[in-house]
Amino acid sequence: REQAVVPVARLAGVTRERFLRDIYPRRKPVVLKGMELGTCTTKWTVDYLSQAEGSKEVKIHVSAVPQMDFLSKNFVYRTLPFDVFVRRAAEAKHKEYFVSEDEKYYLRSVGEDARKDVADIRKQFPILAEDVQIPEYFEKEQFFSSVFRISSAGLQLWTHYDVMDNFLIQVTGKKRVVLYSPRDAPYLYLSGTKSEVLDVDNPDLEKYPLFVKAKRYQCFLEAGDVLFIPALWFHNVISEEFGVALNVFWKHLPPESYDKSDTYGNKDPTAASRAIQILDRALKTLEELPEEYRDFYARRMVLRIQEKAYRDDYG
């Protein structure tokens, strides 16, 4: 039993107009090739990165194993000068290390105050920001964050969804990205925004038998590629080489739809959070009934949700 694999479409020379007219409304991932991204794709070598931003301190994830798990927190947070971090992340074996000589490193930039401020490469890495031309395929006031990322070769991030649309800009190195449609959420064993299935290539089907029903979309990103990830699409990313990337998130819903305390772009919209709280209260109320009645009315509630809220036009 294997998942069906659907290659993500790859398109070259896509203008802003064509993206907004033909691609964006379809709400499916697509790899955009040949976009004008500035000098970053050629300039951002290990030496240049180290010198450009110097020894400012950065908080990083350090993992003894390639598959990072945000649910069990199988990594530690450490702080290093940026230039030291870049050189270490580019090494296969480390002379100096925190956990083991083959540990993996991951930087996900955050705002000045991670609880209040969003990541913005122009503020956290202003010198590097000058080398980047972000594709402006959305209105300026929709911009939410630009997240600077550096990963060791072999590092794999957990499967999760974000509530905003975003571009994953692969500046240097190669990545493999596996994606799942929002419609396949029932098969992904969710805990909040994250899937419990860490190893999407060799899943434990005794523990996660429904996972095989999820349709797997996949693409390989090279330097200069831009992956459009629509909101609510699950994605699992593995860095096949040491690489630098930039995520740009933007608000495609009305601004008041989003949780104002969300600095990462992954808190459910306020209406969704309220609905889930109401559902939890309804389920609590059902507990007052005997099991036979609880089962019957729970099934009626499911049918009502399907009738009122499910889409029937998924492609």
Side-chain angles (χ1 to χ4, degrees), residues 16 53 56 74 82 103 109 164 233-234:
R16 184 182 198 270
E53 294 285 353
K56 69 161 82 178
N74 67 343
F82 182 72
E103 64 193 14
S109 66
M164 295 183 196
W233 274 76
F234 296 87

Side-chain angles (χ1 to χ4, degrees), residues 37-262:
L37 300 172
T39 56
C40 55
T41 50
T42 51
K43 280 174 81 172
W44 284 9
T45 62
V46 171
D47 286 342
Y48 176 78
L49 290 167
S50 304
Q51 292 160 9
E53 294 285 353
S55 58
K56 69 161 82 178
E57 300 251 292
V58 288
K59 189 177 181 182
I60 55 171
H61 303 67
V62 181
S63 177
V65 295
Q67 282 175 339
M68 283 176 58
D69 178 2
F70 203 81
L71 294 172
S72 71
K73 298 285 199 295
N74 67 343
F75 52 85
V76 293
Y77 291 105
R78 291 291 181 265
T79 304
L80 279 176
F82 182 72
D83 52 354
V84 174
F85 157 69
V86 170
R87 294 193 180 282
R88 278 214 214 169
E91 299 169 342
K93 296 277 184 195
H94 312 296
K95 290 191 177 70
E96 294 182 50
Y97 51 84
F98 296 107
V99 185
S100 68
E101 66 176 3
D102 55 357
E103 64 193 14
K104 306 292 184 187
Y105 297 92
Y106 172 56
L107 167 69
R108 186 243 190 250
S109 66
V110 294
E112 280 68 30
D113 181 337
R115 289 168 301 176
K116 296 179 184 173
D117 304 319
V118 299
D120 187 339
I121 189 173
R122 294 167 298 187
K123 294 177 181 174
Q124 286 94 49
F125 298 93
I127 296 167
L128 294 177
E130 292 177 11
D131 301 334
V132 183
Q133 185 176 319
I134 292 173
E136 294 189 352
Y137 283 30
F138 48 90
E139 299 301 324
K140 276 189 165 55
E141 60 271 18
Q142 290 179 284
F143 172 84
F144 176 71
S145 66
S146 50
V147 182
F148 182 65
R149 301 180 192 269
I150 296 182
S151 304
S152 293
L155 184 80
Q156 187 167 12
L157 296 181
W158 52 92
T159 304
H160 68 283
Y161 70 86
D162 300 296
V163 299
M164 295 183 196
D165 291 341
N166 81 87
F167 280 147
L168 170 54
I169 302 167
Q170 191 63 27
V171 181
T172 70
K174 294 180 181 178
K175 276 196 177 86
R176 185 199 72 179
V177 186
V178 173
L179 305 108
Y180 298 97
S181 160
R183 197 179 193 186
D184 282 346
Y187 314 133
L188 298 180
Y189 297 87
L190 298 186
S191 177
T193 61
K194 303 160 191 74
S195 169
E196 292 179 15
V197 186
L198 278 189
D199 191 340
V200 296
D201 299 307
N202 298 289
D204 182 344
L205 293 179
E206 285 191 10
K207 194 173 181 182
Y208 308 115
L210 296 177
F211 183 69
V212 77
K213 292 187 174 185
K215 185 190 287 186
R216 170 180 174 140
Y217 292 76
Q218 183 168 289
C219 63
F220 294 89
L221 302 181
E222 298 181 352
D225 287 349
V226 177
L227 172 61
F228 167 53
I229 307 177
L232 308 183
W233 274 76
F234 296 87
H235 43 289
N236 178 288
V237 180
I238 184 166
S239 296
E240 298 195 321
E241 301 173 341
F242 164 78
V244 185
L246 186 68
N247 268 110
V248 182
F249 292 87
W250 67 90
K251 297 179 178 183
H252 64 293
L253 302 178
E256 62 274 14
S257 304
Y258 299 99
D259 187 324
K260 287 185 171 55
S261 67
D262 186 7

